[in-house]
Amino acid sequence: SRPKRKGGPGGRGGKDTDGDDELTNPPKISGPGWRSAVTHIPVTQRYHWYNGSAAKECLRDKRVWVIGDSYMRNLFIGLMDVLRGVTKGGDDVIKVSGAPEQKVKIDWMPKMFGDVGQRRFTEVNLTTTFIGGTRFSLDRYIDHLKVLLTKVKDADLVVLNVLIHDNKRNIVVGRFKGDKGAAAASYSTNVLELSRWMREQRPKGTFVWATSTSYKEKKVPAEFRPYQGNQRILGINRKAKKYWTEAGFPTLDVFHITHACQADSCSFDGSHHNRMVNRAKAHVLLNHLCRPAECDQPLNSKMSQHNYSKGPPMVNSKMIQ
């Protein structure tokens, strides 16, 4: 029989499939064969893994904003690890609430966004800021989010995702009377509205939409699994990615980055991933911004012996299956 064609976000096939192959045969987080997770990097090419100095140089003179729920908070913490050159403690659990780094108050910030953390790297004139809020959902926050994005849209880099608090059990049961499809459709309508609105704003910097995370379903409590199952979340992510792509913005495929890590240590609760996985998200994001030209060489070229072809130093072998 003919083998399945890989597809989905960042996949080999160039179009979405039903997702079965993506969920039963996850990619591995190791070395140059790792599948592409940002739409413009072909899967046949390698990633560059950054030390702290190179990561900070990539973001020299930049203003970076990471916006969203606790999964985006974890991405921000992974980015901070990479910028600091931290490679140890990959198994460590990340706290899932509160402002990371130094909590700051910004005068124009809508009050809905109570978790604002910031770190400045003065040696390279870099300011990184995370913005989050309680039960951050598009349904509750979209008007406030537009106010926020109007303020930061011209920053050097803005990375945004919101999904799960529009699709969790309490929302589906309470607002949509248990209709998961209606909840997903409402969320997709809001994503479409926001993506079109963002296109009209013509941001001067780089705006990146991130997909939401995958789940280690056996660790998710049984009552939540119908709402936070990978097949459902993958489908919702795909539609959102389609809208942002049509609006002209790149997507960071967090779903497949997290799904690539299948070891028990990858997530303590089935949804929030450890420091190693979140550093991997940050490395892929940095490749989107300033990947060395040498990485464009085919994997079977002489460049395969170059340092750029080596796997990430923070990967622990017990985390890879």
Side-chain angles (χ1 to χ4, degrees):
S1 62
R2 186 174 61 184
K4 282 189 176 182
R5 184 186 188 190
K6 292 184 182 291
R12 296 175 187 268
K15 66 178 182 178
D16 292 343
T17 65
D18 60 7
D20 291 341
D21 186 65
E22 297 169 74
L23 298 181
T24 57
N25 297 293
K28 305 293 189 293
I29 301 185
S30 61
W34 188 24
R35 74 186 295 164
S36 174
V38 177
T39 54
H40 82 300
I41 302 177
V43 73
T44 55
Q45 295 176 1
R46 60 179 57 81
Y47 283 86
H48 177 58
W49 298 96
Y50 291 81
N51 60 29
S53 297
K56 284 185 285 191
E57 195 61 39
C58 174
L59 297 178
R60 175 180 287 276
D61 299 323
K62 299 290 191 296
R63 300 295 176 266
V64 176
W65 301 80
V66 177
I67 305 169
D69 54 25
S70 58
Y71 304 145
M72 294 302 288
R73 181 185 184 280
N74 283 7
L75 166 60
F76 181 82
I77 291 172
L79 178 60
M80 294 301 98
D81 277 359
V82 174
L83 288 168
R84 292 186 171 110
V86 177
T87 59
K88 296 181 179 180
D91 283 338
D92 291 354
V93 171
I94 298 177
K95 183 181 176 183
V96 299
S97 62
E101 299 296 323
Q102 181 179 355
K103 188 168 185 176
V104 296
K105 183 178 180 180
I106 300 176
D107 292 339
W108 50 260
M109 186 70 61
K111 65 180 182 179
M112 296 285 284
F113 302 106
D115 296 332
V116 182
Q118 190 173 86
R119 166 69 179 181
R120 295 182 178 180
F121 296 86
T122 57
E123 65 273 30
V124 290
N125 190 32
L126 164 64
T127 301
T128 56
T129 308
F130 170 78
I131 301 174
T134 304
R135 296 187 297 277
F136 196 157
S137 70
L138 274 187
D139 183 62
R140 295 179 69 233
Y141 280 65
I142 190 166
D143 291 334
H144 303 280
L145 188 55
K146 288 179 180 178
V147 173
L148 168 60
L149 290 173
T150 299
K151 293 288 188 179
V152 305
K153 66 182 179 65
D154 293 330
D156 300 289
L157 173 64
V158 178
V159 188
L160 168 68
N161 176 259
V162 185
L163 183 149
I164 193 55
H165 289 290
D166 290 276
N167 289 283
K168 293 183 80 170
R169 183 184 68 167
N170 62 322
I171 297 298
V172 175
V173 173
R175 183 181 173 195
F176 296 97
K177 304 184 185 304
D179 189 337
K180 293 181 289 183
S186 176
Y187 169 79
S188 295
T189 298
N190 283 328
V191 172
L192 180 60
E193 176 187 336
L194 185 63
S195 63
R196 289 177 172 175
W197 176 87
M198 195 65 186
R199 179 177 58 191
E200 293 171 356
Q201 305 310 303
R202 297 183 179 181
K204 296 178 181 178
T206 298
F207 178 89
V208 176
W209 174 258
T211 70
S212 193
T213 190
S214 66
Y215 292 85
K216 308 299 178 275
E217 293 180 359
K218 292 182 179 179
K219 289 190 175 184
V220 176
E223 63 269 28
F224 299 133
R225 285 178 205 160
Y227 310 95
Q228 294 173 240
N230 281 329
Q231 198 69 58
R232 178 171 186 259
I233 298 301
L234 179 61
I236 297 171
N237 273 323
R238 280 184 177 148
K239 184 167 284 189
K241 175 180 178 289
K242 175 178 180 290
Y243 291 151
W244 287 102
T245 300
E246 290 172 349
F249 299 104
T251 298
L252 175 64
D253 187 358
V254 168
F255 183 94
H256 285 97
I257 298 173
T258 54
H259 192 56
C261 194
Q262 291 291 310
D264 184 70
S265 59
C266 294
S267 174
F268 75 97
D269 63 357
S271 59
H272 296 91
H273 290 76
N274 63 22
R275 300 188 88 99
M276 182 277 293
V277 175
N278 284 284
R279 293 169 192 163
K281 298 175 192 176
H283 279 290
V284 176
L285 179 62
L286 291 171
N287 271 264
H288 176 64
L289 299 171
C290 46
R291 193 168 58 114
E294 290 88 344
C295 293
D296 292 333
Q297 299 294 325
L299 287 174
N300 59 0
S301 72
K302 293 181 179 180
M303 285 300 300
S304 63
Q305 301 303 315
H306 193 278
N307 287 339
Y308 296 141
S309 70
K310 294 181 179 179
M314 72 289 190
V315 168
N316 185 321
S317 60
K318 71 178 181 179
M319 299 178 188
I320 305 168
Q321 295 182 343

